[in-house]
């Protein structure tokens, strides 16, 4: 792990529900190295993960579990012999270590020669962290000789750590510890739903996972950089890993052949947006099958891909979805039906048009974690069921569906293309979908 500097002033965000099902298959990259900087609970979380299936959890538990899984996929949230322990309260020494890693100072803390801290209650394995933090004035103890290592960490204290990592200084008057939650909400580091949870519920490690993931997407003080983009820019975090876990916009066209530049979408005509200027997932087809076919041919779509168009129109009509949006999303997810080989090993034989994983989820670069459907009809049925669930269609969630990740907590979470960013995939996902959608509309 690279040291970013002793003080975070050298550091120059939006995820609500992450489903992991909409990661573009063809842009999975082999990891270059461990994503080894942020929100990691490494020593405090142990070294082995106990698998827990989705069926064994409540919907609310699974909602947080997805964040732990994202971090686990890059080896930074590996759990203990008891699993992730998301229902346990974090303690102060855990919070301190998180802060040091947020600052990019772990290497310096573990290898530097710092004066011993005076605290008698710091575990042996954490002494180097405490030495560093004491000398640098990152935090204080509960007395002259105690740190309160095993005392429960409060939500206010953890948000104070997060804010400090983002460059805000409570000592200089940027915010007050007692109002750290309110200040974080005002900066949109946390949303109103999470704010109410942190105010009213016991602070647990599941909250730590969610807050930490969201903080990666938050803007650093006095900068347009998010924490993730800054760490990538200074080469402290691998770009592909950051894109892979959905905290950084991808530059996928740079290394792909036969794909148009997807950066930036034109303004969608006002007749196709709602009263808030958003592009609804629900509604009638905004282009004919003939027009969509002409667009797909222009993009170089194979006959197999063209044959999917009438299936999308049939299934979307019964579910109230706009088939044009669903089809262009498929094109984005599969690289125009695998014109570019998927690095996960998934291909057309999987009949998986949108990157749906098996119910338990798994690593993006392993084909075995992706659902394999018997036919394109089944795969598109699952795709459109998943979208209809997101959009809150009446009658959903369904008891009988091909969608392997048909979780009730996703109901009504996203009603527009814009809302797919940070929920279905990474932060700029909607821009790419809208870019393709606009191309179809322009052909009418």
């Amino acid at each position: 792990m690279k040291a970013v500097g002793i003080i975070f002033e050298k550091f120059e965000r939006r995820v609500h529900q992450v489903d992991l099902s909409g990661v573009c298959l063809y842009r999975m990259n082999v990891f270059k190295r461990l994503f080894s900087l942020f929100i990691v609970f490494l020593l405090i979380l142990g070294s082995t993960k106990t698998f827990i299936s989705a069926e064994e959890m409540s919907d609310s538990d699974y909602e947080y579990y997805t964040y732990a899984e994202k971090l686990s996929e890059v080896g930074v949230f590996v759990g203990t012999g008891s699993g992730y322990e998301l229902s346990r309260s974090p303690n102060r020494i855990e919070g301190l270590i998180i802060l040091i890693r947020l600052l990019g100072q772990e290497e310096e803390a573990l290898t530097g020669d710092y004066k011993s801290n005076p605290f008698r209650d710091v575990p042996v394995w954490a002494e180097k962290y405490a030495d560093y933090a004491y000398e640098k004035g990152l935090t204080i103890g509960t007395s002259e000789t105690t740190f309160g290592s095993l005392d429960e960490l409060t939500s206010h204290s953890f948000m104070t750590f997060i804010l400090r990592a983002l460059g805000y200084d409570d000592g200089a008057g940027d915010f007050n510890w007692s109002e750290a939650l309110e200040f974080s909400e005002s900066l949109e580091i946390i949303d109103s739903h999470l704010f109410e949870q942190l105010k009213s519920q016991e602070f647990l490690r599941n909250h730590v996972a969610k807050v930490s993931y969201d903080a990666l997407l938050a803007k650093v003080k006095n900068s347009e950089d998010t924490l993730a983009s800054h760490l990538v820019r200074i080469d402290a975090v691998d770009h592909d890993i950051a894109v892979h876990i959905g905290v950084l916009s991808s530059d996928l066209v740079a290394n792909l052949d036969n794909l148009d530049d997807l950066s930036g979408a034109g303004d969608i005509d006002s007749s196709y947006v709602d009263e808030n200027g958003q592009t609804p997932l629900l509604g009638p087809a905004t282009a004919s099958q003939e027009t969509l076919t002409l667009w797909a041919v222009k993009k170089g779509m194979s006959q197999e891909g063209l044959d999917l168009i009438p299936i999308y129109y049939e299934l979307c009509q019964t579910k109230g979805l706009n088939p044009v949006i669903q089809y262009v999303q498929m094109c984005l997810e599969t690289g125009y039906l695998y014109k570019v080989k998927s690095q996960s090993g998934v291909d057309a034989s999987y009949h998986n048009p949108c990157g749906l994983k098996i119910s338990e989820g798994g690593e993006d670069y392993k084909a075995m974690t992706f659902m394999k459907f018997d036919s394109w009809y089944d795969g598109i049925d699952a795709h459109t069921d998943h979208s209809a669930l997101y959009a809150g269609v009446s009658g959903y969630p369904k008891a009988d569906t091909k969608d392997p990740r048909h979780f009730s907590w996703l109901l009504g979470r996203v009603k527009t293309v814009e809302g797919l960013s940070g929920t279905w995939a990474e932060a700029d996902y909607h821009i790419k979908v809208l870019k393709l959608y606009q191309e179809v509309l322009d052909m009418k």
Side-chain angles (χ1 to χ4, degrees):
M1 188 178 301
K2 298 186 178 181
V4 180
I6 294 176
I7 303 175
F8 189 74
E9 278 79 346
K10 293 184 179 180
F11 277 174
E12 303 247 303
R13 137 216 132 102
R14 157 196 146 193
V15 172
H16 297 296
Q17 301 294 339
V18 178
D19 177 24
L20 294 178
S21 63
V23 180
C24 295
L25 298 181
Y26 69 97
R27 50 196 161 97
M28 305 307 177
N29 294 303
V30 178
F31 293 163
K32 296 178 181 177
R33 65 178 185 274
L34 184 66
F35 179 17
S36 58
L37 190 58
F38 176 68
I39 48 157
V40 291
F41 321 130
L42 298 171
L43 294 175
I44 56 178
L45 290 173
S47 60
T48 59
K49 180 182 77 174
T50 298
F51 174 73
I52 302 174
S53 71
E55 290 78 8
E56 296 174 307
M57 304 179 198
S58 67
D59 287 343
S60 59
D61 286 340
Y62 193 86
E63 179 178 348
Y64 287 106
Y65 179 81
T66 56
Y67 295 100
E69 278 289 274
K70 279 235 172 183
L71 301 176
S72 176
E73 288 183 14
V74 289
V76 297
F77 197 126
V78 292
T80 72
S82 301
Y84 291 132
E85 295 191 273
L86 296 177
S87 60
R88 174 173 71 76
S89 299
N91 56 52
R92 276 173 52 85
I93 197 66
E94 292 175 348
L96 175 63
I97 294 172
I98 290 171
L99 173 60
I100 291 172
R101 288 167 175 162
L102 287 171
L103 295 172
Q105 300 299 318
E106 181 177 38
E107 181 179 346
E108 185 173 345
L110 294 178
T111 61
D113 185 18
Y114 296 100
K115 181 172 58 179
S116 297
N117 72 84
F119 307 128
R120 299 174 182 172
D121 62 340
V122 175
V124 173
W125 58 265
E127 285 181 349
K128 282 281 190 178
Y129 296 97
D131 293 345
Y132 176 84
Y134 183 72
E135 184 160 324
K136 298 299 180 181
L138 295 180
T139 189
I140 60 176
T142 54
S143 74
E144 291 184 358
T145 58
T146 61
F147 180 73
S149 296
L150 300 182
D151 292 353
E152 289 186 2
L153 182 68
T154 67
S155 57
H156 287 82
S157 294
F158 186 69
M159 286 311 310
T160 295
F161 285 148
I162 292 291
L163 289 165
R164 289 173 183 171
L166 289 167
Y168 296 93
D169 188 348
D170 48 323
D174 285 344
F175 68 98
N176 184 283
W177 172 88
S178 64
E179 298 178 347
L181 295 178
E182 288 79 2
F183 187 62
S184 297
E185 185 191 25
S186 72
L187 295 173
E188 297 186 343
I189 298 171
I190 59 176
D191 60 33
S192 59
H193 177 68
L194 183 56
F195 170 77
E196 292 301 328
Q197 285 190 330
L198 297 179
K199 290 281 285 186
S200 61
Q201 298 180 10
E202 179 184 5
F203 186 60
L204 303 174
R205 282 156 60 98
N206 59 8
H207 298 123
V208 170
K210 168 64 169 150
V211 170
S212 298
Y213 187 91
D214 285 356
L216 273 173
L217 295 156
K219 287 186 178 180
V220 176
K221 181 183 177 182
N222 297 329
S223 173
E224 289 303 309
D225 278 351
T226 63
L227 182 56
S229 64
H230 174 78
L231 297 177
V232 167
R233 183 166 55 80
I234 64 174
D235 200 31
V237 167
D238 183 82
H239 172 275
D240 292 339
I241 304 300
V243 170
H244 169 74
I245 67 168
V247 296
L248 189 70
S249 299
S250 66
D251 303 315
L252 57 109
V253 297
N255 300 311
L256 299 175
D257 296 326
N258 304 317
L259 289 179
D260 293 16
D261 183 0
L262 301 179
S263 59
D267 293 332
I268 300 298
D269 187 276
S270 60
S271 59
Y272 301 109
V273 300
D274 61 20
E275 63 275 10
N276 298 314
Q278 303 281 293
T279 312
L281 296 173
L282 297 177
T286 48
S288 67
Q289 293 191 44
E290 291 74 19
T291 297
L292 188 56
T293 299
L294 288 173
W295 172 82
V297 168
K298 180 180 177 182
K299 309 301 280 190
M301 180 60 79
S302 64
Q303 185 59 50
E304 184 176 15
L306 297 177
D307 291 342
L308 305 186
I309 293 176
I311 301 176
Y312 270 102
Y313 276 76
E314 174 192 343
L315 291 173
C316 286
Q317 183 178 15
T318 66
K319 300 171 186 181
L321 293 164
N322 184 343
V324 181
I325 291 174
Q326 297 297 299
Y327 185 80
V328 300
Q329 184 186 25
M330 179 278 294
C331 292
L332 175 62
E333 289 287 338
T334 64
Y336 301 109
L337 214 62
Y338 308 103
K339 286 175 64 177
V340 178
K341 184 178 179 181
S342 164
Q343 293 192 30
S344 68
V346 174
D347 57 26
S349 70
Y350 278 67
H351 303 121
N352 189 333
C354 66
L356 277 169
K357 290 184 177 178
I358 58 177
S359 60
E360 296 85 359
E363 297 172 324
D364 286 341
Y365 58 91
K366 291 186 177 181
M368 62 183 293
T369 66
F370 291 92
M371 189 69 186
K372 194 168 188 177
F373 297 97
D374 292 336
S375 67
W376 278 119
Y377 191 95
D378 286 351
I380 295 171
D381 195 20
H383 176 195
T384 51
D385 267 357
H386 203 67
S387 296
L389 177 65
Y390 262 92
V393 172
S394 177
Y396 284 76
K398 294 167 61 175
D400 182 22
T401 177
K402 298 291 185 180
D403 177 13
R405 301 180 65 78
H406 208 68
F407 308 126
S408 61
W409 55 266
L410 293 175
L411 181 64
R413 291 292 184 181
V414 173
K415 298 180 183 297
T416 65
V417 173
E418 288 79 1
L420 294 173
S421 290
T423 54
W424 190 292
E426 73 280 354
D428 68 344
Y429 186 72
H430 72 283
I431 297 176
K432 301 177 181 120
V433 175
L434 290 177
K435 171 67 163 55
L436 303 184
Y437 182 43
Q438 184 63 63
E439 289 179 358
V440 179
L441 297 179
D442 287 344
M443 294 187 68
K444 294 178 61 176

